[in-house]
Structure formats: C-alpha cells, structure tokens
Amino acid sequence: MFLPLVFFIFLQIMIIISSSSSAESSTIELGKPGCPYKCGNIIIPYPFGDYQNQCSMFEDDADKVYYVFCDTSYNPPKAFLGMNNEFEILSISPEMEFRIRNTAVGAKCYDGRTREVVLDKPFNKLNLGATPFTISYTKNMYVGIGCNVMGFIHNQTVPRPCTSKCASKVDVIEGSCTGSGCCEAIIPKSLNYFLGEVMVNSTAEYHSQCSFAFLVETGQYTFQGSDLQLDGRLTKPDMDLPVVLDWAIGARSCKEAQTITPNYASDRYACKNNTDCNNAPDNPGYRCTCKKGYEGNPYLGCQDINECEDENNNPCYGTCTNTLGGYNCSACPEGSTGDGRKDGTSCTTLPTKDGFPVLRVALGLSLGLLSVFVCGLFLYLCIRKRKLLKLKEQFFQQNGGLLLRQQLPSRDGVVDSTKIFTQAELKLATNNFHSSHVLGEGGYGTVYKGTLSDNRVVAIKKSKQIDKSQIEQFINEVLILTQINHRNVVKLLGCCLETEVPLLVYEFVSNGTLSQHIHQNGAFEMSWESRLRIATEIASAIAYLHSAASTPIIHRDIKSANILLDNNYVAKVADFGASRLVPLDQTRVNTAVQGTFGYLDPEYFHSGELTDKSDVYSFGVMLVELLTGLKPVSMERPEEQRSLTSYFLSLTEKNEEFKIIDAPADEGHLQQVLAVIVISKKCLKWKGEERPPMKQIAADLQVLAKFNSVGWDCQPLSYEETTDLPSEMNNLYNSIPSNLFDHSSKYTSETNVDLSMMIPR
C-alpha cells in the first residue's frame, strides 16, 4: 500500500515539473520560425519581415506586400519599408504602430543677396501604394514654413491650404504654427499617396529666404525662426521628421475574410488560433488581436497566459488553477465568503452566529444602501438637469441669442421667416447627431441630414469653432443671410444657439453637387441646354448676392462643389454661411486669403484685397468646367495642362479651344457654346477691373438661355430686328472671332459664318 502511494506522489511531481519546464521553454514567437525578426534595435513582428524565405506575408487580397528590408551596411543596421532605402523605419510599437522618417520636404529657397532661386523643389510626395500602410490623419499634421506662403494638399476632396503671412522678420512667432511664419493643415483620411506643394507669393513685399512644406507627427516639430534660413535644420539630411502610419490586412472586412474560400494564398484569413478580428477604423481591411487571457503574435497564433505561474503575485487569495484563457480560484475558507479573486469580492470573514441576526442585519443594510442609492441617483439627476439647463442658457447668451431675438423680424409676436431651434429639436432630427446622418465634413466642420417634427428635411451645419469676440458680427451676418430670398440660393431656415458652437439649419437639396455630376458620375453626359440653364441660374444667384440682396455680399468660394442640384436639376448656391460672408462695403480690408485652389482669384491671392470681381473669376473657372468636363486642377495631367484656366486661356490665344471643349453642341447650339467661351475669357481676366459685373454676365446668359428654347436662325438680321438686343449681347457676339471654327474638326461646315450677324430668335 505504501509503495503505490509513493509512486503516485512521485508521478504527480514529475507531471508538475514537466509542465513547468514546458511552460518555461515555450516562448512567444514574434516572427516566423527560422526567420530573423530583429533589425538593429527594432523588433519586426510577422506579418512583416524579410521577403526572402517567405519570412513576411507574401501578399494579401489587395496585392499589398509586407516586406521589410534590413540594411546591414549601417552600424547598427537600419530597417526600411519595401525593398529599397526610401522609407526608414524609426520604431515599431508593441501594438505594431509604425513610425517612419519623412524625407519628402517641399522647399523653395532664394539667395539672400541676389534673390535668385537656389533650391526649387516645391512638391513633396509620399507614395505607399504598394504597401498596406496609410498616413494616420489623427496623429500627423501638414506643416507650412515661411513668410507669405501657402501649403497645399493636392489629393484632398476639398483642398484647404494653410497660409503663413508676415510683413517682416519680426512678425515671425517661434514655437507655434498659428500663421506667422508657420501654419498647420489637417490631412484627410485613408491616404496611401500624398502630394503636397509649397507656394511662395513672390510679389509680396517680404518673404523669407526659405519656405518649406512637409508631413510630420503631431507634436514632433517645434518651429524655430532659424528654420527659414538656407543653412537651417530643414535643409539638413539628418533632420528627423517622423510620420505615423496606419495599416490593415487586405481590403476585406472581417466577415468577408472569414467566409471567403481561399483559392489563392492571398485569400487566406490572417488571424490564427485564439484571436479576435477587428475591422480597421479608418482603412479597408482588418487587424488581429489575441483573445483575453492569451498573448503572442495573433498572425502566428496566441498562447494561453498562465496567470497562476507566479505564486507570490497571482490573482487569487487562495489556490490559483490555470485554465485555457483564464484561471480559477479556490473557494474561501470556512467562516468567510467571497469568490477568492483579488479583482472580485475576495474573502470576507462572516460574523459569529451566537444569537446575532446575521440575515436580518444583512437585509437591513442592503435595503438601507439601496434607499441611499436611489435617493442619491434622483438628486444627481436633478442637479445634472439643472446644470444642463444653466449651461444651455449660458451658451445661448454667449452666442448672441438675446441679440438675435431682439433683431429678428416678427409679426404678431411670431418669428416670420427664421426660427431659433432648440438643441433637443435638432438632436431628435439627427438621432443625436449619429454618424449615419453625416452628409459631409471638412475643415469647416460637419453637415448632418435631419428630419424636423413637421417632416421637413433639412441640412444642419455644425462648425468646428467660432471666434467668441466676433459674436455680434456673427449675429449680424445670420440676420443678413435670413433676408436672402432667391430660388437659386440655399435658404437659411434658422439656428440653434444652445450649444457651445452655434448650429445653422438650411433647406435640404437632395441631388448632390454639380462637381459630383461633372467629375464623379462617369462620363459627363449633361445636355447643353442643362449646362447653359445651370450656368444661368448660378450667375443669377451670384448677381443677386452682389447687387439685389438687402446687404450685398461676396460669396468668396464659388466652385462646383458648392453648387447643389435638386431633383429637377435646378442649381442652388450653397456654403456662404457666416464663416465666408463678406459685405461689399468691407472688401477693401486685407484679410487672410480664403478660397479653393484652382478657383482662387490670382489678383486676390497676391494683394489680399477681396472684391466682387473675385467671385466673377471663380464663376469663370466653373464655366470652363461646364464647357470641358475637366477638373480645375489635376496632377494627373501633363504639367502645362495641370491648371485648367491657364491651359484654356493659352488655347484661346491660338483659337484652339475646341481641343478640350466637351459641350455636346450641334449646329443649332454652336453659337451659344462660342458665346459662353467668350464670357469665360472675360471672367478670367487677370485684372479684376477688366472683368464684367455679375449682373451683366447673368443678363447675357439669360438671353442665350431664352433663345435656346426656340433654336437659332442663321439668316442675317435687319437693323430693326437688332434694336431689341441688349447692347451687352451685341458686344459679346462682335467679340467672337469668326475663324474659331477653323480649329474644330467637329464644326468644319460652319467655317465661313459671320457670328456678328447671328442672333437667336
């Protein structure tokens, strides 16, 4: 009996020792077996690794490769993305967050004495197209350095440059990027290809010796005045500008990746044993993590964590027993109660039972605590509600609510045209501003779609910030906007002032933007009648803003993305809210240049002086868009064609416009197309004083549109028949060169027509 017992005890000891040594020998695999996973001081976990011997994931369903090249010619060795030395890896965190050294810096430098250009590399790009990486939009910034410069991000849906202005060297503010020597711009989501540019205003009275634009991790660059010199830090090859990258596996969601049949190696689901799959928040694809209670590399398989291994630091007060993915604690000893876990109820000694009513006391204490909790909760909710009401009232007063109430036009005590909405109404309309209601977002803020209690569908603009010192001006601008009444201008219905930043409520226009119909919906197949009508409606709306509104105003950002179309394709001018409103009587004041690259009036950009002719120039760019179907700026076109306006004007000088004209004009509409070309050229004059006023442009287009409805008569007119034609139209047709047809193979039959004798009927 004794020997079997000894043998049994010995066997149990050997099992424990064996399992201990087995646990100790098992190590966490960071790289594939037999593959190096360290390059110098950087640990490179799978799926990344050397491309040789299949040490990295070869490729995924999006044809992305995960190669990391370790260059041993350095001491210590350095790691690079891909198979060349373009992107040096600075660090990889345990959560696999990558930081790389950014060597792409746009630069333009001048000789301090002769002012000749000595460094001319204005463009900077970062191409991660063959990798699974994208540029983190939350952890990086685009920085512009210099005096009187603009930093542009070209591959952005709505380009919003940062502008840095300083009249002299003393205006430079070190240590910050607020627009005096240094500025910052937010980058868009999901970029794996980045193209930026630094633009120097060479006509300014003062600009720095050097100007730069580059990507950098937020908080990792501090501006110094010496950076603007030719021998400053930014011209040195060892300048450390880290950039944070996001990444994901492939281009499928977790559900798609788990259910697809792996016909190819790239289709295989990457998450291994004991892992969870998580959809990437900002990119297509997914990432893997170990389940709770497991550790290791989820792309190779995760191992159970032995929480009980350390006897002096385990999670139990009593005996700890390890389980797969967790652990169990032994029951509490007699005379105590609890679960025995240090993160639970642990073990509490019970009171003695010598006549003491344990159950009654425990029940009484429980009921007492419950009563205290309920009363405390009720009191907390009352105080919280009172604070919220007080906060709403505070915001309402700070945002000028009392002033707006006094000045809004009323009739019989009821607001006539504009409503002051409550926060509760707009929360109900947008399901508490749920992300599914977002119509669009950008540097200005976010626009939500909402449905009011009376079933009206509206657009609610939630700006990012407002200058508290300009509240009175903001209220005055809201009052001006409420008085705008034109069928081709998006109407302001009201506002909410109970929030930290005021909310503006506009009528909802449901059929997208003109830009989407021109550039994003495949071939641009809109009829000429529709194009001419839309151009006429836009011109009429801008002319109204300039001359017929109660307070004439300048829009300042006319572009196809700010023209909305309803279900009948009626055009409506939008996005001229308080953030852009400029009364005509204030336009001679130099302000920070605002607008969109490609539409920006060059005279306004160089002088900083805004006039109504700046809207005329932007309208001219949009006319060329309608004529050609091309984007105002495209880095995909040859260099001489990247700027549509410059290319268009260069063709007009040689009467070769029809090389790019895409308007579907037949013989009956050709004269109208030519007339619109002439109007465009007038709008795009360099000097604002040479551009016609919008009122004249609208009248010209209205005449063209009117006669379009009954066709054209190619017979010469008598003197009596031309007396009813506006003088502006006579001048317009007389300015069209008759030999313009010679450069259009589509219209060779019209080469001898004298347009000065043509008139629509």
Side-chain angles (χ1 to χ4, degrees):
M1 182 70 182
F2 177 76
L3 288 176
L5 180 60
V6 172
F7 177 78
F8 176 77
I9 295 174
F10 174 79
L11 182 61
Q12 294 296 318
I13 293 174
M14 292 302 296
I15 291 174
I16 294 173
I17 293 174
S18 174
S19 61
S20 298
S21 57
S22 169
E24 291 175 359
S25 63
S26 63
T27 57
I28 297 174
E29 292 289 343
L30 297 177
K32 290 186 71 174
C35 292
Y37 62 88
K38 194 170 184 181
C39 181
N41 299 323
I42 297 177
I43 294 177
I44 304 168
Y46 186 82
F48 301 95
D50 196 333
Y51 73 95
Q52 296 180 347
N53 301 322
Q54 297 184 349
C55 288
S56 65
M57 182 185 291
F58 182 69
E59 65 178 21
D60 56 24
D61 58 81
D63 295 328
K64 306 295 184 182
V65 293
Y66 296 76
Y67 302 155
V68 172
F69 171 60
C70 185
D71 192 338
T72 57
S73 63
Y74 295 93
N75 186 19
K78 292 184 178 181
F80 296 88
L81 294 182
M83 299 175 64
N84 53 45
N85 291 24
E86 184 177 359
F87 303 121
E88 180 187 348
I89 301 174
L90 298 177
S91 66
I92 304 175
S93 70
E95 295 77 24
M96 295 196 192
E97 180 178 80
F98 280 67
R99 281 178 175 78
I100 64 169
R101 186 191 305 276
N102 181 18
T103 58
V105 178
K108 193 148 190 170
C109 293
Y110 300 85
D111 184 275
R113 183 174 57 84
T114 64
R115 303 307 299 166
E116 293 183 354
V117 176
V118 295
L119 181 58
D120 191 11
K121 295 173 60 179
F123 293 98
N124 56 310
K125 66 179 180 178
L126 198 63
N127 189 354
L128 301 167
T131 73
F133 294 98
T134 57
I135 301 168
S136 173
Y137 80 100
T138 59
K139 296 188 178 182
N140 298 302
M141 294 293 294
Y142 188 56
V143 178
I145 306 295
C147 287
N148 300 308
V149 301
M150 298 181 75
F152 276 93
I153 303 175
H154 286 291
N155 52 334
Q156 189 168 356
T157 305
V158 182
R160 297 188 179 275
C162 78
T163 303
S164 175
K165 301 183 71 174
C166 34
S168 65
K169 186 176 181 180
V170 297
D171 290 340
V172 173
I173 301 176
E174 291 193 343
S176 67
C177 286
T178 56
S180 297
C182 179
C183 62
E184 293 182 348
I186 300 174
I187 63 175
K189 292 182 180 180
S190 305
L191 281 187
N192 64 359
Y193 175 79
F194 175 85
L195 179 62
E197 180 183 4
V198 57
M199 297 181 62
V200 180
N201 182 0
S202 59
T203 63
E205 294 184 4
Y206 172 77
H207 55 83
S208 54
Q209 184 180 13
C210 285
S211 302
F212 302 94
F214 51 86
L215 277 172
V216 67
E217 181 182 359
T218 303
Q220 294 302 308
Y221 170 76
T222 302
F223 172 57
Q224 297 179 8
S226 59
D227 291 344
L228 304 181
Q229 303 300 318
L230 186 57
D231 59 351
R233 296 182 300 171
L234 294 173
T235 59
K236 300 294 189 296
D238 58 347
M239 178 60 181
D240 197 359
L241 296 173
V243 172
V244 180
L245 303 181
D246 292 329
W247 68 276
I249 298 290
R252 298 189 178 105
S253 67
C254 288
K255 184 176 180 181
E256 293 169 336
Q258 290 168 342
T259 56
I260 193 168
T261 302
N263 296 325
Y264 303 97
S266 59
D267 291 332
R268 292 174 184 165
Y269 180 51
C271 299
K272 302 304 180 184
N273 299 333
N274 306 314
T275 58
D276 292 321
C277 183
N278 309 286
N279 291 325
D282 303 316
N283 306 305
Y286 61 92
R287 295 274 294 271
C288 308
T289 56
C290 290
K291 289 182 178 292
K292 184 178 180 181
Y294 293 86
E295 63 183 355
N297 188 325
Y299 304 98
L300 295 173
C302 297
Q303 304 170 8
D304 172 56
I305 300 174
N306 187 352
E307 294 88 352
C308 305
E309 186 174 9
D310 186 351
E311 295 182 359
N312 299 320
N313 191 26
N314 65 56
C316 299
Y317 281 103
T319 303
C320 178
T321 305
N322 185 58
T323 62
L324 288 178
Y327 60 92
N328 291 325
C329 296
S330 63
C332 292
E334 186 177 354
S336 62
T337 183
D339 58 12
R341 301 168 66 105
K342 292 180 180 178
D343 61 352
T345 60
S346 66
C347 294
T348 305
T349 303
L350 293 173
T352 60
K353 300 180 181 180
D354 297 337
F356 189 80
V358 176
L359 183 60
R360 294 181 181 179
V361 170
L363 183 60
L365 287 174
S366 300
L367 292 175
L369 290 174
L370 180 61
S371 300
V372 171
F373 173 76
V374 171
C375 294
L377 180 61
F378 178 76
L379 182 62
Y380 166 76
L381 293 175
C382 291
I383 295 174
R384 184 172 179 268
K385 183 177 180 181
R386 186 173 180 180
K387 284 185 177 180
L388 289 175
L389 291 174
K390 189 174 181 180
L391 187 61
K392 286 182 181 179
E393 182 63 27
Q394 179 182 344
F395 286 147
F396 186 81
Q397 295 182 13
Q398 288 179 355
N399 293 328
L402 298 178
L403 179 62
L404 184 62
R405 276 181 175 171
Q406 294 172 359
Q407 299 192 24
L408 276 176
S410 301
R411 181 178 59 197
D412 297 331
V414 180
V415 175
D416 187 32
S417 59
T418 304
K419 180 177 180 180
I420 300 179
F421 292 90
T422 65
Q423 184 182 24
E425 286 179 288
L426 300 188
K427 279 188 174 182
L428 181 63
T430 60
N431 191 18
N432 199 19
F433 297 99
H434 193 270
S435 58
S436 62
H437 287 251
V438 173
L439 292 174
E441 56 185 330
Y444 61 85
T446 306
V447 178
Y448 296 85
K449 179 181 177 181
T451 304
L452 301 178
S453 57
D454 58 2
N455 292 325
R456 281 187 300 165
V457 181
V458 295
I460 302 169
K461 181 178 180 180
K462 187 176 185 180
S463 300
K464 286 188 175 180
Q465 60 184 4
I466 185 172
D467 189 347
K468 299 300 183 183
S469 64
Q470 303 293 325
I471 288 299
E472 186 173 349
Q473 177 184 346
F474 167 77
I475 294 300
N476 290 333
E477 292 168 350
V478 169
L479 290 169
I480 293 172
L481 293 176
T482 61
Q483 298 172 32
I484 293 177
N485 186 18
H486 193 279
R487 70 185 297 269
N488 299 116
V489 177
V490 175
K491 185 172 181 58
L492 177 66
L493 302 178
C495 60
C496 174
L497 305 176
E498 293 180 352
T499 55
E500 185 175 4
V501 178
L503 306 176
L504 299 177
V505 182
Y506 295 90
E507 66 172 312
F508 177 69
V509 184
S510 59
N511 204 12
T513 68
L514 179 59
S515 175
Q516 292 171 336
H517 286 273
I518 295 177
H519 305 301
Q520 297 181 17
N521 295 343
F524 184 33
E525 298 179 350
M526 188 179 290
S527 68
W528 171 247
E529 290 87 349
S530 296
R531 300 191 200 194
L532 182 57
R533 176 182 53 76
I534 289 172
T536 304
E537 291 170 344
I538 298 169
S540 174
I542 302 172
Y544 168 83
L545 294 176
H546 285 185
S547 55
S550 59
T551 300
I553 60 176
I554 299 174
H555 188 286
R556 192 158 51 171
D557 198 19
I558 296 294
K559 58 183 178 181
S560 57
N562 282 343
I563 305 302
L564 304 180
L565 301 178
D566 65 12
N567 288 331
N568 296 318
Y569 289 88
V570 174
K572 291 180 180 286
V573 177
D575 197 18
F576 60 96
S579 63
R580 299 189 182 280
L581 180 61
V582 180
L584 277 173
D585 58 0
Q586 298 180 12
T587 58
R588 296 296 173 182
V589 179
N590 286 344
T591 58
V593 175
Q594 296 185 29
T596 300
F597 187 58
Y599 297 87
L600 196 61
D601 174 12
E603 186 179 51
Y604 167 44
F605 173 70
H606 287 289
S607 66
E609 189 174 284
L610 182 68
T611 70
D612 56 343
K613 296 301 180 69
S614 299
D615 281 352
V616 175
Y617 182 90
S618 301
F619 177 77
V621 177
M622 195 165 54
L623 277 183
V624 179
E625 266 189 281
L626 282 167
L627 285 167
T628 65
L630 300 176
K631 293 182 179 180
V633 176
S634 176
M635 302 308 295
E636 298 176 358
R637 298 197 291 258
E639 184 173 357
E640 69 277 4
Q641 300 179 20
R642 288 177 181 173
S643 171
L644 178 60
T645 54
S646 299
Y647 184 47
F648 173 76
L649 292 175
S650 68
L651 291 177
T652 61
E653 293 178 358
K654 299 177 288 187
N655 292 335
E656 296 179 352
E657 296 95 322
F658 278 92
K659 285 185 176 181
I660 60 173
I661 295 300
D662 184 51
D666 53 26
E667 293 182 2
H669 295 123
L670 178 59
Q671 294 90 342
Q672 293 171 305
V673 174
L674 297 174
V676 173
I677 291 174
V678 173
I679 293 174
S680 303
K681 289 170 60 179
K682 290 184 177 182
C683 293
L684 297 175
K685 293 285 187 181
W686 178 268
K687 294 184 179 179
E689 60 188 16
E690 296 178 1
R691 303 169 196 157
M694 282 306 306
K695 190 174 182 180
Q696 177 183 331
I697 297 170
D700 291 348
L701 291 173
Q702 286 170 359
V703 171
L704 285 175
K706 175 182 177 183
F707 288 116
N708 181 42
S709 63
V710 294
W712 289 83
D713 186 351
C714 295
Q715 299 299 321
L717 297 178
S718 64
Y719 172 78
E720 291 78 5
E721 289 177 305
T722 62
T723 55
D724 293 334
L725 184 65
S727 60
E728 296 87 346
M729 289 300 294
N730 278 313
N731 294 334
L732 175 64
Y733 287 105
N734 288 330
S735 64
I736 300 176
S738 61
N739 65 342
L740 184 59
F741 296 97
D742 298 337
H743 304 280
S744 172
S745 60
K746 294 169 60 177
Y747 306 107
T748 54
S749 62
E750 301 290 331
T751 54
N752 296 319
V753 178
D754 183 3
L755 291 179
S756 64
M757 299 299 295
M758 306 291 292
I759 185 68
R761 291 182 176 177

